[in-house]
Amino acid sequence: VPIAFSGAFGSNETGTETIWIMWFNAVTGPPANGTEPFQGLSFQVPQGGSFNFVSPDPNGIFFSQGLTWAASTTGDTLTLAGANAARVVTQAQW
């Protein structure tokens, strides 16, 4: 389902390592390891840290297929982190 992504916030729940929250233009997720995040949308979140993102576009960032996210142990491409590695709340306009 297409979506206009307007922002997100969340936290690193691993307690032991830095992770990256990555966003993907996909109906379901997470995608396969090695996949690059959509338009480079990746946020480094240190151990015990949190993040807050607001789209720079007032109309949101358009995801034509749908929006899914994943926690990664690497920053450039997805290396799926363990279950419950992060808490994320996504905000959308439609």
Side-chain angles (χ1 to χ4, degrees):
V1 175
I3 192 168
F5 176 53
S6 59
F9 59 92
S11 59
N12 179 337
E13 300 295 312
T14 65
T16 59
E17 63 186 333
T18 295
I19 60 171
W20 286 260
I21 306 298
M22 297 182 171
W23 306 92
F24 302 95
N25 187 22
V27 176
T28 61
N33 281 338
T35 303
E36 293 182 6
F38 182 67
Q39 294 186 4
L41 287 172
S42 175
F43 307 103
Q44 183 178 15
V45 187
Q47 173 185 336
S50 61
F51 75 95
N52 185 26
F53 170 75
V54 176
S55 171
D57 185 330
N59 295 317
I61 300 168
F62 183 64
F63 284 70
S64 61
Q65 297 177 20
L67 172 68
T68 189
W69 66 269
S72 178
T73 58
T74 57
D76 294 329
T77 61
L78 179 62
T79 304
L80 198 59
N84 303 317
R87 288 188 183 179
V88 175
V89 175
T90 300
Q91 300 166 321
Q93 296 178 345
W94 48 267

